[in-house]
Amino acid sequence: QVQLVESGGGLVQAGGSLRLSCAASGRTFNLNAMGWFRQTPGKEREFVATISRGGSNVVYADHVKGRYTISRDNARNTVYLQMDSLKPEDTDVYYCAAGRMLFITAPTAADYWGQGTQVTVSP
């Protein structure tokens, strides 16, 4: 089993920045892609960004391109999401995902999930 623990969420004004972290522990040797999703209660979990095992390949959702940057430190089994130029519509609970797939662009591709961290962007 793999455990994912997110941190770094909080309240920020529009135009500000936050950096989310997700640390993996347990049987991490067979993990490939890691990624981030977001979800509003009552709605589907939505893809944000994913990064390959080596970190050289990344995919972003259109609405975050140019504003968010995903990265990972395999020595620390940690993935990061740098969020800049935040907008009120970025407000949501953000979830870390990990799995054996080469990329995680849909919830069904993830094998493991974190508990979620709240991001709130005020106008």
Side-chain angles (χ1 to χ4, degrees), residues 10-63:
L11 172 64
V12 65
Q13 286 189 325
S17 298
L18 282 174
R19 189 193 195 206
L20 305 184
S21 300
C22 171
S25 61
R27 298 172 67 85
T28 61
F29 60 89
N30 61 347
L31 288 182
N32 279 320
M34 299 186 76
W36 292 92
F37 287 72
R38 55 183 287 183
Q39 188 171 25
T40 300
K43 293 189 176 181
E44 296 281 325
R45 195 162 288 190
E46 179 182 290
F47 167 70
V48 174
T50 185
I51 187 166
S52 62
R53 183 183 180 96
S56 58
N57 294 294
V58 297
V59 181
Y60 295 99
D62 287 343
H63 66 278

Side-chain angles (χ1 to χ4, degrees), residues 52-111:
S52 62
R53 183 183 180 96
S56 58
N57 294 294
V58 297
V59 181
Y60 295 99
D62 287 343
H63 66 278
V64 305
K65 284 180 181 176
R67 300 190 299 122
Y68 290 13
T69 303
I70 189 170
S71 61
R72 68 190 289 173
D73 182 342
N74 288 334
R76 292 180 168 82
N77 290 319
T78 300
V79 63
Y80 305 95
L81 186 68
Q82 177 67 40
M83 303 187 294
D84 298 318
S85 303
L86 283 162
K87 306 174 182 179
E89 51 265 43
D90 294 321
T91 295
D92 229 332
V93 178
Y94 284 70
Y95 293 88
C96 177
R100 294 161 290 179
M101 300 290 283
L102 295 180
F103 291 100
I104 303 174
T105 57
T108 52
D111 295 306

